[in-house]
Amino acid sequence: MSIQKNLANIQQSIPHHVTLVAVSKTKPVSDLLEAYRAGQRIFGENKIQEMTQKWEEMPKDIQWHMIGHVQRNKVKYMAEYVALVHGVDSLKLLKEIDKQAKKYDRTIPCLLQVHIAEEDTKFGFDREELLLLIENPEFLGLKNVRVKGLMGMATFTNDQDQVRREFKTIKQLYAVINTKISTVDTLSIGMSGDYHIAIEEGSTMVRIGSSIFGARN
Ligand SMILES: *Cc1c(COP(=O)(O)O)cnc(C)c1O
């Protein structure tokens, strides 16, 4: 099926209040342009260099989301344009994003990544760390980052009950920070294999790659 048809099918299967991030990592600009021509304006990448190259080549009304693990020494390359950083997993990283955002006189929207998978390969805060962070005066003093919500990745498994459990965990945390931080409105959970469950559990933003662009090499 074509990228255009895939996009239309997915848009049809998700509610209006859920934002679709088209995850275009490893895909050529020609594929992204096909999605762009079909109306897609939000793209997700997991490597800063690749995202920056695509930002330079693509139309300027695109919102670029950094969905991967962020190395602090590379924040400077995306600070000018990035629309949302999903994978913020430390105060140190948040401070670097704040510092680089200041140089462009910007406030960069960020999501705090929460570790929800039972497997331990994924990055992110656990519950306790997150609750400590949001009371930390250093965190509260940052002016050039805006925390918009949480991001999480469920375990890569066929066990749907486990995936649902993990999404319920992050949804509960989301409810907590939603009452404490006024700018919070985004819960980024759900990928090609699990976005239906994620939406049932309260996702407001899904990150979908292979179901739009086909399998990656
Ligand atoms: C690659 C990736 C996705 C998209 O995965 P698909 O299974 O291709 O939909 C979503 N989120 C993150 C963080 C990713 O790295």
Side-chain angles (χ1 to χ4, degrees):
M1 252 205 290
S2 70
I3 290 170
Q4 189 181 355
K5 286 220 178 79
N6 291 340
L7 264 175
N9 287 341
I10 291 166
Q11 283 291 11
Q12 228 165 37
S13 75
I14 66 178
H16 284 293
H17 72 272
V18 175
T19 301
L20 172 61
V21 179
V23 175
S24 50
K25 61 191 185 197
T26 78
K27 298 294 176 181
V29 161
S30 56
D31 283 4
L32 279 71
L33 280 172
E34 196 175 328
Y36 180 87
R37 282 192 291 268
Q40 184 65 27
R41 291 295 181 274
I42 304 176
F43 291 87
E45 291 282 336
N46 72 339
K47 295 210 169 74
I48 292 175
Q49 274 123 322
E50 183 178 344
M51 180 169 76
T52 300
Q53 201 164 354
K54 287 170 171 171
W55 166 66
E56 283 167 356
E57 290 177 37
M58 297 274 298
K60 288 295 167 283
D61 61 342
I62 289 171
Q63 293 179 37
W64 293 98
H65 287 201
M66 180 61 207
I67 64 167
H69 183 64
V70 179
Q71 287 171 278
R72 262 181 293 144
N73 60 350
K74 293 187 180 150
V75 170
K76 55 179 176 284
Y77 301 118
M78 65 174 174
E80 181 181 354
Y81 69 89
V82 69
L84 184 62
V85 183
H86 289 235
V88 177
D89 62 354
S90 71
L91 178 57
K92 258 180 159 177
L93 175 57
L94 214 45
K95 283 159 73 174
E96 175 64 14
I97 297 171
D98 183 75
K99 178 176 145 193
Q100 297 298 334
K102 220 166 270 163
K103 294 186 181 166
Y104 293 96
D105 199 22
R106 294 189 64 203
T107 302
I108 296 183
C110 294
L111 302 178
L112 303 174
Q113 183 168 356
V114 179
H115 178 94
I116 50 171
E118 287 167 17
E119 62 194 358
D120 53 28
T121 53
K122 306 252 159 64
F123 297 99
F125 295 98
D126 63 28
R127 181 186 177 89
E128 216 168 309
E129 290 167 341
L130 186 74
L131 296 178
L132 277 175
L133 174 76
I134 63 172
E135 308 284 347
N136 186 326
E138 261 197 293
F139 168 78
L140 295 168
L142 298 176
K143 297 281 183 273
N144 292 72
V145 290
R146 180 177 298 124
V147 171
K148 297 286 286 175
L150 301 181
M151 179 270 214
M153 288 170 84
T155 303
F156 190 71
T157 171
N158 287 324
D159 183 347
Q160 304 223 332
D161 292 334
Q162 182 180 346
V163 170
R164 192 176 293 279
R165 256 195 328 271
E166 293 174 0
F167 286 151
K168 279 189 196 299
T169 302
I170 194 171
K171 176 63 202 267
Q172 280 174 355
L173 266 178
Y174 178 70
V176 173
I177 74 152
N178 205 356
T179 65
K180 301 203 177 197
I181 304 175
S182 64
T183 50
V184 162
D185 61 8
T186 304
L187 178 57
S188 169
I189 50 173
M191 316 186 358
S192 292
D194 58 21
Y195 73 91
H196 293 291
I197 301 175
I199 290 169
E200 284 168 12
E201 297 305 330
S203 173
T204 71
M205 185 174 278
V206 291
R207 309 175 309 268
I208 299 182
S210 43
S211 293
I212 298 172
F213 296 105
R216 288 175 297 273
N217 294 328

